[in-house]
Amino acid sequence: MSNQEYEPFSRWWDALARRLGLSMDDGGRGSDDVVRPIAKGKQPRRRWPWVLLVVSVFILTSFLGRGVHLYTEWLWFGEVGYSGVFWKMLATKAWLGAATAAVFFAVVYANIIIARRMAPRFQFGKGAEIIERVEIPDKVLRWGIPLALILPTLIALGSGVAAWDEFLRFMNGTDFGVADPVFGRDAGFYVFSLPFLSMLQSFAWWTLVFTLLATAAVHFLDYGISWSENRLSFADHVKGHLSVILGLIMFVIGAGYLIKGYELLYSDRGVVFGASYTDVHAQLPVFRFLLASAIVAGVLFMVNIYFRGWRLPIVAIAIIVLTSIFAGQVYPFVVQQYTVAPNEQEKEGPYIKHNIDFTRQAFGLDSVEEKPFSATGSLTAADIQANTDTIENIRLWDPRTLSQTYGQIQVIRPYYAFIDVDVDRYIIDGRLRQVMLSPRELAVEQLDERARTWQNEHLVYTHGYGLAMSQVSQVSAEGLPELLVKDIPPQSVTESLAVTQPAIYFGEHANDYIVVNSGVQEFDYPRGDDNVYTSYAGEGGVGVSGFFNRLAFSWRFGSLKLMLSDAIESDSKILIHRDIRERVENIAPFLMYDGDPYSVLADGRLYWIMDAYTTTSDYPYSQPHEDETGRLNYIRNPVKVVVDAYNGDVTFYVVDPSDPLIRTYQKIFPGLFTPGEEIPASLRPHLRYPEYMFNVQAEMYTTYHMTDPQVFYNKEDQWNIARQQGDQPMDAYYVIMSLPGEVEEEFMLMLPFSPAGKDNMIAWMSAKSDPENYGERRVFKFPKDKLVYGPKQIIARFNQNPVISEQITLWAQSGSDVLLGNLLVIPVNESILYVQPLYLRAETGQIPELKRVLLAYGNSVVMEEDLATALAGIFTAQAEGQPPVTVESVEGEQPPAAGTVQELAAQAADHYNRAVAAQKSGDWATYGEELKLLEETLARLQEAAGAGQ
């Protein structure tokens, strides 16, 4: 830069330094240090080009990397068939971010330029000194100010991009058909409109505040604002300019008070969530007054353009500040303390009712049906026989325990893993059976370290293989599960469970990219000392034979090997996003997904089903629920996502089109969702009511089963989720059973409740999963005058039983780990069975074995080798001193002839042994008959013993 070019910058810098009060010397070290132009012939050392180069390369690399990522994502979205979703999200983010940044930059930059142009050429400095205004060089105006605004503009851009979902919901909102009781607005206004309007108001506030500060700074540098005689002085043109900006800020503040009025429906000031008496009768009028004050203040600032004084605007601002402090805080406090608190139940009653109604609507509790459950305790052998399907499907294997067992007996090779065990139901030999299954997924990180080469991890070891499946109640003589599907290649006990496509390319553990159809054979499965190889024949994957695609994916994954490998051929494809959670969330990030996707075997191949939820925390008057996933006060499960484990196909089936949130997203993304009626017939019977939503609903129901405001206020009937060992709340669990008053067994979730602060049971909730009655939820309430043991009390009774505790102690002393499974509460007719499995694991072993079943009924507890023996033992216990079981005679059947005590005891033993043998052979009909005969014999034995025979 020449000295002539430098001079304007020198003059501007000198003026700036003088305006800021900076000394132009070193404070007395001599005149040689005075800032002055560089002498002719001397040029500064130019290090800035290198800095600029480094910064430019960094920015270019970042933008190029982002571009490569977007390009590869576009290719992937095209592969899964959702390019429209990709472009909709990208275009909305792009133009909304650009618009936000443009508005911010334009407002700030325009006001800075206006401020510069308004400044007069001459200003009076201190005393009589006249100072000439120094023009900012054109290069500074052209480049300096825009460069200074880059960072805040980028922040504005980011806020616009982040608001894409709120904006689309605002533009496509759907009515809920429910009006709030305070303003009469539909709930859709609060869910779809208010969040975006609040963000818009916040953006306008920060933009104008930044503009005010930037403009004031420019005026200060131009001597339009100065400090003299211990006060700030403003030039007339500055007063006019700042008045306009401050007026706009006042209008935005007024909009904020309007929004705060609506947000009172999220208030937590009162007894319950939502607008309380104080909010409606004190806080809301204050907000309305502040809104009017802000509008008046804004008008006064605008009028001040002509009057150019500060008195009236300052008075308006003072009114806002004082009202906000005293009326906004003190007045509501006084109303709450001296009007509401002494009469809280009466004053808050209507608002408690609003909270109850809206919370029950938001969590779907208003459709829960309540029924009485007598808990008569009159279970008979005939009842056991009539509920054979329920008894046969009592789950004796815990998922965590079974996962360990599968891991020891079915992993086959160290590079396989069972990530999770799922519970489902299948028709086996014509009967509905509850099963547990787990896909055998590939875990390349468990390969030998020497085998973990790039080629092995990305080209050779590409997929898992097959699954393990077992019935929930079947146990081998060794205490291991009886497998329905096992081994490699998969072997099935019945044709209906045959696996024709066992390869798993997409799963819960597939977390890295692979290349298929390369010049290297893919490992399929081990066979003895050899391996079987295969080639991928599925439809998934993006082609990487072309140079540009190959380069893009190499850049994305930082892999030069992918670019240079000779194994990549013309039909090679790369599979990415193979983790099913990541895959689904990448397509539709606006939905909330269940943390436990489950696998399904249908038509000989494996699928994954994920439950997708629509949630919001903006539903008016609804009590929020908080857990590790976040905060919400509305939830529905309108979408079931199906992922093909081989092809990677993803389909979003809408099973609840009545949900306003999903209807809104259907309008936004019309090509994303598929009607639920199109779910394949082979998959529909495997839909489950989701555990997460059921647990949330059950937790909310512990309080919101109370619908009377007075009872709710006093918490007279507060419940808790029933507790088990370790004082932990029980998790919901799947069962196959028939509900009281029904004949057909169904697959459903259930969970027991206890009264607050107590351990007995007060009720239990169920949710059906079978297609005909999917989503039906019922709560069965026990009589309040009858004690029904809760899970924690039953566990205590097990522990206090001398026979059980002594045996557990002996096992522990012999070096075995005793593992107690989760206790299950099983309703049978109007009675309750309690079942808890017990596993043993050798101290140095890794295989848990099911060794005992603990069973409780009424006042009897037993521990036997299997469930059938335990049931027989319960009837024996009843006959040996416990309250007898009511026996219902079967029409047309005569009781056996009376005999001596010894003869009857021998008959009882014979029936007991026959029942056990029938159970072990799977003949449940004979088992039920023998139990009935055993029960009758024991009753006669008791009579004979009492008569002294």
Side-chain angles (χ1 to χ4, degrees), residues 725-870:
Q725 54 204 25
D727 205 35
Q728 293 296 314
M730 294 185 69
D731 291 324
Y733 51 93
Y734 291 100
V735 295
I736 289 179
M737 66 180 191
S738 59
L739 295 178
E742 298 182 2
V743 177
E744 193 72 24
E745 281 85 3
E746 295 186 65
F747 185 69
M748 65 186 73
L749 272 169
M750 70 163 294
L751 187 65
F753 299 113
S754 296
K758 297 182 179 179
D759 293 326
N760 60 289
M761 279 201 303
I762 190 71
W764 55 277
M765 176 185 273
S766 67
K768 294 184 177 181
S769 293
D770 289 345
E772 298 79 10
N773 303 304
Y774 181 89
E776 287 186 8
R777 284 153 300 141
R778 294 180 186 173
V779 169
F780 293 87
K781 302 172 71 173
F782 298 117
K784 293 188 177 181
D785 59 351
K786 179 178 291 187
L787 174 65
V788 179
Y789 289 121
K792 189 175 179 180
Q793 293 173 318
I794 292 296
I795 290 173
R797 292 184 63 202
F798 285 151
N799 294 335
Q800 293 165 4
N801 184 281
V803 176
I804 296 175
S805 60
E806 180 181 358
Q807 183 60 64
I808 291 176
T809 301
L810 289 174
W811 279 322
Q813 291 175 347
S814 65
S816 297
D817 291 332
V818 179
L819 308 175
L820 289 170
N822 292 327
L823 184 137
L824 302 183
V825 177
I826 307 295
V828 179
N829 289 0
E830 293 289 334
S831 300
I832 297 290
L833 292 174
Y834 305 85
V835 181
Q836 185 176 31
L838 183 150
Y839 313 96
L840 289 184
R841 183 174 59 196
E843 189 173 15
T844 58
Q846 298 293 325
I847 306 179
E849 299 175 357
L850 179 62
K851 288 301 183 184
R852 293 292 186 272
V853 175
L854 285 69
L855 181 66
Y857 169 68
N859 292 320
S860 301
V861 296
V862 296
M863 181 175 72
E864 298 292 348
E865 291 186 359
D866 50 53
L867 182 59
T869 309

Side-chain angles (χ1 to χ4, degrees), residues 340-385:
V340 177
N343 311 282
E344 191 170 55
Q345 184 174 325
E346 176 189 352
K347 296 291 186 183
E348 297 287 15
Y351 305 99
I352 294 174
K353 181 62 175 173
H354 299 331
N355 171 264
I356 293 172
D357 292 342
F358 277 77
T359 300
R360 287 172 62 87
Q361 293 166 11
F363 288 92
L365 306 181
D366 52 345
S367 58
V368 175
E369 183 182 4
E370 290 191 351
K371 295 276 190 180
F373 191 90
S374 62
T376 56
S378 57
L379 193 64
T380 68
D383 294 327
I384 296 295
Q385 185 175 6

Side-chain angles (χ1 to χ4, degrees), residues 448-475:
D448 184 274
E449 192 66 30
R450 292 166 297 181
R452 294 194 61 183
T453 63
W454 178 85
Q455 193 172 82
N456 275 345
E457 291 187 354
H458 298 284
L459 275 65
V460 178
Y461 291 92
T462 57
H463 57 276
Y465 202 85
L467 73 157
M469 179 190 290
S470 57
Q471 195 170 327
V472 295
S473 61
Q474 295 300 306
V475 186

Side-chain angles (χ1 to χ4, degrees), residues 100 206 215 312 329 363 371 399 496 569 617 756 782:
T100 306
W206 285 110
T215 304
L312 287 178
Q329 302 295 327
F363 288 92
K371 295 276 190 180
S496 63
E569 298 183 341
S617 58
F782 298 117

Side-chain angles (χ1 to χ4, degrees), residues 10 54 58 73 88 120 160 165 392 430 444 466 476 526 557 563 575 618 621 658 703 713 725 775 866 892 935:
S10 178
V54 172
F58 174 77
E73 284 295 287
K88 182 77 171 185
D165 188 21
E392 290 182 10
V444 292
S476 69
F557 294 111
M563 185 67 196
L575 275 58
D618 298 317
Y621 261 117
S658 66
T703 300
Y713 176 81
Q725 54 204 25
D866 50 53
E935 181 182 30

Side-chain angles (χ1 to χ4, degrees), residues 307-494:
F307 294 99
R308 300 186 179 181
W310 294 119
R311 184 169 300 174
L312 287 178
I314 289 176
V315 169
I317 292 176
I319 291 174
I320 294 174
V321 172
L322 293 176
T323 303
S324 179
I325 294 174
F326 292 100
Q329 302 295 327
V330 177
Y331 176 56
F333 175 80
V334 171
V335 171
Q336 180 69 30
Q337 291 299 314
Y338 300 104
T339 301
V340 177
N343 311 282
E344 191 170 55
Q345 184 174 325
E346 176 189 352
K347 296 291 186 183
E348 297 287 15
Y351 305 99
I352 294 174
K353 181 62 175 173
H354 299 331
N355 171 264
I356 293 172
D357 292 342
F358 277 77
T359 300
R360 287 172 62 87
Q361 293 166 11
F363 288 92
L365 306 181
D366 52 345
S367 58
V368 175
E369 183 182 4
E370 290 191 351
K371 295 276 190 180
F373 191 90
S374 62
T376 56
S378 57
L379 193 64
T380 68
D383 294 327
I384 296 295
Q385 185 175 6
N387 291 274
T388 300
D389 285 339
T390 299
I391 301 301
E392 290 182 10
N393 286 288
I394 293 177
R395 178 165 59 81
L396 301 181
W397 288 98
D398 279 354
R400 287 184 294 270
T401 304
L402 187 59
S403 179
Q404 297 176 36
T405 303
Y406 279 173
Q408 293 300 312
I409 66 175
Q410 277 295 298
V411 160
I412 311 297
R413 291 290 189 272
Y415 39 78
Y416 288 125
F418 292 103
I419 306 302
D420 187 31
V421 174
D422 302 311
V423 180
D424 201 354
R425 73 287 199 194
Y426 288 78
I427 300 296
I428 301 174
D429 296 331
R431 301 181 67 184
L432 185 65
R433 289 288 178 261
Q434 187 175 190
V435 305
M436 305 177 80
L437 68 158
S438 183
R440 187 182 292 103
E441 298 199 52
L442 185 69
V444 292
E445 69 276 6
Q446 295 176 191
L447 284 169
D448 184 274
E449 192 66 30
R450 292 166 297 181
R452 294 194 61 183
T453 63
W454 178 85
Q455 193 172 82
N456 275 345
E457 291 187 354
H458 298 284
L459 275 65
V460 178
Y461 291 92
T462 57
H463 57 276
Y465 202 85
L467 73 157
M469 179 190 290
S470 57
Q471 195 170 327
V472 295
S473 61
Q474 295 300 306
V475 186
S476 69
E478 297 80 16
L480 300 176
E482 291 280 4
L483 295 170
L484 301 171
V485 182
K486 61 181 179 180
D487 298 341
I488 298 177
Q491 304 296 316
S492 305
V493 298
T494 177

Side-chain angles (χ1 to χ4, degrees), residues 545-562:
S545 58
F547 173 80
F548 194 74
N549 283 8
R550 195 166 170 183
L551 176 63
F553 282 106
S554 297
W555 181 299
R556 171 170 177 163
F557 294 111
S559 174
L560 193 60
K561 296 182 179 68
L562 178 59

